[in-house]
Amino acid sequence: MKNRWRRTTLSLIVLTIIAMVAAGCGTASKEEGAAAGSSSLEKIKQEGKIVIGMMGTYAPYNFLNENKEIDGYDADIAKAIAKHMGAEAEIVTGEFSGLIEGLQRGKFNALISQVTITEERKQSIDFSAPYIKNAVNVVVKEDNQDIHSVEDFKGKKIGVGFGTNDEAYLRNEVLPKVGDFEIVTYKDVITSLMDLNTGRIDATINNVFAIKPMIEEKGVKVKAVGDPIKEDVAGIAIKKGQPELLDAINKAFEAMKQDGSYAEIHKKWFGVEPTL
């Protein structure tokens, strides 16, 4: 009886110690995460710059202008966010499919490149408040009379940006519902619209803001058909575990909304007031 009591007491002591150690580790982990977020923001303040990742091939959101400078809606948002944080934006371009990986490896402080906010992405990165809402349409060649919606995709070749939320939407939602069609992926929107223009693919899905400059400036003969198939919101993406940096970005964006610079940028590129 005495030995059993001793064993029980010893077991309780061991369990208590394990619980205390686990609690200590949890606290340390939270403190380390907060410290990492703080150090990222402090480094930005000390260096006077925030490194922003974006595609650079997605007009009018982000693209190289005639002076070979990164221009567009996302670029203007990046510069304004940086300014409100007391820093300058250093924009680094890369293929969309590699941007999130680059963010997680520390290549960028943030991504401002039409990164759609999804539940899946929120598992691996954090997002600011949305800074744009996009309506996505089916886009076809100007003389196409066969495709009016995703229901007409069966047996067709459909182009989409590689690694984008639109690609996931086609594969996970449209394909199982509509039936077999071929998905052709592209590194940039320009190439997909050029291929659509020449008949290499039958359709793509994109938003009207993206196809407008291709129609007006490059003479691409494409059109959006039917009602929007979905609406997306994009946010500024940062690596997880940086609450102070996220808070600073959200405060900068809120300041842009208050001083009118956010609406000014939106009207400059799209000709309409923001809907957020």
Side-chain angles (χ1 to χ4, degrees), residues 4 8 10-11 23 37 40 63 72-73 81 109 132 135 138 150 154 157 169 173 178 192 201 207 214-215 226 260:
R4 184 184 300 170
T8 302
L10 183 60
S11 297
S40 297
F63 61 97
Y73 177 80
I81 288 286
N109 296 121
I132 190 168
V138 173
V150 295
K154 190 170 183 178
K157 293 175 71 172
Y169 173 75
E173 297 189 40
V178 172
S192 69
I201 56 176
N207 65 74
M214 291 292 292
I215 295 172

Side-chain angles (χ1 to χ4, degrees), residues 19 33 36 43 61 70 112 120 136 173 204 207-208 225 237 259 261:
K43 186 177 180 183
Y61 300 103
I70 292 293
I112 304 182
E120 182 180 358
V136 178
E173 297 189 40
T204 182
N207 65 74
V208 291
V225 294
D259 67 16
S261 56

